[in-house]
Amino acid sequence: MTTSRILIADDDPLLRSLLVHKLSADGHHVLVAEDGAQALVAIAEQNPDLIVLDALMPIMDGFEVLRRLKSGNLSSAPVIMLTALKREQDIVGALQLGAADYLVKPFIPDELSQRVRRLLLPASSPPQEDRNDRDRA
């Protein structure tokens, strides 16, 4: 299994540290950006396999990063919005812009880990429990 590159774009250094630790322990190579502008540069230069994006960042917010990613076809990587914004219009708006998932802070790190795993599964690969059920049959 190849190591997936995951970009964490969040302005909170403590949260970035937590996410780097958790996702690295899961076997991923983790890249970080402190703001939306850094995120766009990292995406262009590093071509991550998945992006975890905060909505509230300096210089350029996560919604604008997502809008530029999807409208400019800058990356086909799935995006998980990880943010404190929990209003319906924020969640629906991010999904309409092309986010693959939306998780509200505070969050459960293991839940994020499972959402990342699910989004990185190859499309042709059935979920683990399906393979086990087939093997028992």
Side-chain angles (χ1 to χ4, degrees):
M1 179 177 166
T2 59
T3 301
S4 298
R5 289 178 316 280
I6 299 176
L7 173 66
I8 304 298
D10 197 297
D11 60 324
D12 180 341
L14 187 59
L15 181 65
R16 281 195 317 270
S17 179
L18 169 77
L19 293 174
V20 166
H21 176 75
K22 177 65 180 158
L23 295 172
S24 294
D26 289 345
H28 304 292
H29 176 72
V30 183
L31 313 162
V32 295
E34 297 178 13
D35 59 55
Q38 283 184 10
L40 286 177
V41 170
I43 291 163
E45 292 178 355
Q46 301 293 324
N47 192 27
D49 300 304
L50 185 136
I51 302 161
V52 178
L53 191 57
D54 183 20
L56 302 172
M57 294 185 291
I59 302 177
M60 182 186 306
D61 70 35
F63 293 107
E64 182 59 26
V65 172
L66 182 59
R67 190 175 293 110
R68 290 184 186 198
L69 281 178
K70 299 305 178 177
S71 68
N73 293 319
L74 299 176
S75 174
S76 61
V79 175
I80 298 175
M81 295 297 292
L82 178 62
T83 181
L85 299 178
K86 55 186 174 185
R87 295 178 307 177
E88 180 180 350
Q89 66 192 40
D90 296 320
I91 297 168
V92 172
L95 295 171
Q96 287 174 335
L97 285 173
D101 207 342
Y102 195 103
L103 196 56
V104 176
K105 297 174 188 174
F107 66 101
I108 302 165
D110 286 337
E111 179 183 1
L112 174 65
S113 181
Q114 289 306 307
R115 290 174 186 246
V116 164
R117 185 189 63 77
R118 178 183 51 84
L119 287 170
L120 289 174
L121 281 175
S124 62
S125 192
Q128 185 67 38
E129 59 273 8
D130 290 349
R131 277 187 249 148
N132 290 339
D133 290 343
R134 243 195 343 238
D135 292 342
R136 282 189 285 255

